[in-house]
Amino acid sequence: MEQRNQTSENEFLITGFVDLPHLLFPIFFALLLIYMATLVGNVLIMAIVYSNKQLHTPMYFFLSNLAFIDITYTTTIFPKMLADFFLARQLISFTGCLSQMYFFMSLVSVEFFILAVMAYDRYVAICNPLRYINVMNNVICIKLAVGTWIVGFIDPIPHTALLSGLSFCGSHTINHFFCDVIAVMALSCSSTATIERVTYFTGVVIGLVPFVLIMTSYINIISTILKIRSTEGRHKAFSTCASHLTVVILLYGSILSTYMRPTSIFAMNENRLVSLSYVAVTPLCNPIIYSLKNNQFKNTLRKTKNRLHS
């Protein structure tokens, strides 16, 4: 009840990392560096792809979309989270909380489908190279990209609508560093059974369906790669696929393990650590995994650097 008196009916108190007072400054600077590196790395990808015609291909078009998604979904959380380190009380309005949840869930859904589209692009390029230009033409690529954004932003509407109708008659303290849907549901004195069912259903549609598509694409890709006689050709194809699969495992492993389990076995402190992997680590790793391990991108980056220095 004491915590209830410290907040109004229309706002929440986010605990963040207050339970680690001796580590607040190290955590702040680590998260600030991660956020800045994420912005720089992903903006660099977009700038290099945009400015070099040889990278105007479907693979790099979708990679630019992925970079933009990583920038936007980290920005829905990091600025508020970093600012809270310097505030005596880390408050967020109910409307602001719902908005943060909506945009975060939307952008994560978009990323799921972009990863599936990228897997399909690699499937066509490796398994049907003679049809690649026709199948992955500019019009198709734009339609696929726009479709992922539309589906992604429709997905969280039921969650947001249901969450907006919950009653919070107890503590308004969110034991997390952002407005996570599970953490907010844990505070409600209303029944959350419907929201949980919606979460599992959309988790299957938005999470597992793209995952199955990705795995199906890569099973066919690996089968085709194993038939390549050239060792160099196999190595190049495996290198590209390994980069994509690494990102998929990082993202899906952390998010699905968090949201596809009953709230009755949900541990907030454990979830906070897992959340850092998909909120902070994955967006930072994407530029490294996709770009620094890609010879074509590295060569383009080297040429751009030489032009700027000449």
Side-chain angles (χ1 to χ4, degrees):
M1 290 303 293
E2 179 183 353
Q3 188 64 59
R4 169 80 181 277
N5 293 332
Q6 294 177 354
T7 58
S8 75
E9 294 293 333
N10 296 316
E11 61 185 8
F12 293 103
L13 183 69
I14 299 178
T15 61
F17 301 93
V18 294
D19 57 328
L20 303 170
H22 57 294
L23 294 176
L24 283 181
F25 281 106
I27 291 173
F28 170 79
F29 285 112
L31 292 175
L32 178 62
L33 288 175
I34 288 173
Y35 182 51
M36 296 305 296
T38 299
L39 293 181
V40 170
N42 285 290
V43 167
L44 183 62
I45 285 178
M46 295 170 64
I48 294 296
V49 172
Y50 177 79
S51 60
N52 290 272
K53 291 185 178 180
Q54 63 265 40
L55 297 182
H56 291 182
T57 63
M59 182 174 74
Y60 291 103
F61 170 72
F62 294 124
L63 180 58
S64 295
N65 271 266
L66 181 65
F68 182 72
I69 294 166
D70 286 336
I71 291 171
T72 49
Y73 97 62
T74 53
T75 301
T76 64
I77 293 173
F78 267 84
K80 167 66 177 168
M81 177 174 62
L82 293 172
D84 282 347
F85 277 86
F86 299 98
L87 300 176
R89 297 171 68 226
Q90 296 80 25
L91 298 177
I92 187 170
S93 68
F94 183 59
T95 301
C97 192
L98 284 178
S99 298
Q100 188 182 66
M101 280 191 290
Y102 171 77
F103 284 107
F104 177 72
M105 289 189 293
S106 294
L107 292 163
V108 169
S109 297
V110 175
E111 181 148 348
F112 280 164
F113 281 101
I114 280 290
L115 290 173
V117 170
M118 292 174 75
Y120 177 70
D121 171 69
R122 291 300 83 204
Y123 163 75
V124 178
I126 294 173
C127 300
N128 296 284
L130 297 179
R131 299 182 56 205
Y132 183 72
I133 295 177
N134 293 326
V135 174
M136 300 301 293
N137 59 59
N138 291 339
V139 175
I140 295 297
C141 289
I142 292 172
K143 286 182 177 180
L144 287 171
V146 171
T148 62
W149 283 89
I150 292 174
V151 172
F153 274 80
I154 290 175
D155 167 50
I157 291 177
H159 291 86
T160 308
L162 290 169
L163 285 164
S164 67
L166 293 179
S167 298
F168 300 91
C169 47
S171 172
H172 281 212
T173 301
I174 298 175
N175 185 19
H176 215 302
F177 55 83
F178 74 105
C179 282
D180 178 75
V181 60
I182 303 294
V184 172
M185 281 197 300
L187 302 179
S188 176
C189 53
S190 306
S191 172
T192 59
T194 301
I195 302 178
E196 288 190 45
R197 286 194 291 269
V198 170
T199 299
Y200 296 141
F201 175 76
T202 57
V204 171
V205 175
I206 302 298
L208 293 183
V209 169
F211 183 75
V212 169
L213 293 174
I214 291 170
M215 291 298 103
T216 302
S217 296
Y218 276 99
I219 288 172
N220 285 284
I221 287 170
I222 292 171
S223 176
T224 301
I225 290 174
L226 293 175
K227 297 175 184 178
I228 298 176
R229 295 183 179 181
S230 167
T231 303
E232 182 180 352
R234 282 200 305 269
H235 176 75
K236 183 178 179 181
F238 267 123
S239 178
T240 302
C241 296
S243 299
H244 191 193
L245 283 173
T246 302
V247 173
V248 170
I249 292 169
L250 282 173
L251 183 66
Y252 274 85
S254 56
I255 290 184
L256 293 183
S257 67
T258 299
Y259 295 103
M260 295 298 287
R261 56 177 170 168
T263 54
S264 58
I265 61 170
F266 203 81
M268 286 301 171
N269 288 331
E270 176 189 339
N271 176 53
R272 188 175 57 177
L273 294 175
V274 175
S275 298
L276 278 175
S277 65
Y278 60 79
V279 171
V281 178
T282 303
L284 175 65
C285 289
N286 283 350
I288 299 171
I289 292 171
Y290 274 110
S291 305
L292 297 184
K293 299 185 87 175
N294 186 296
N295 289 329
Q296 185 180 3
F297 191 90
K298 285 192 292 185
N299 292 334
T300 304
L301 182 60
R302 193 178 299 113
K303 291 177 183 177
T304 303
K305 182 180 178 181
N306 292 336
R307 284 201 304 269
L308 292 175
H309 285 230
S310 60

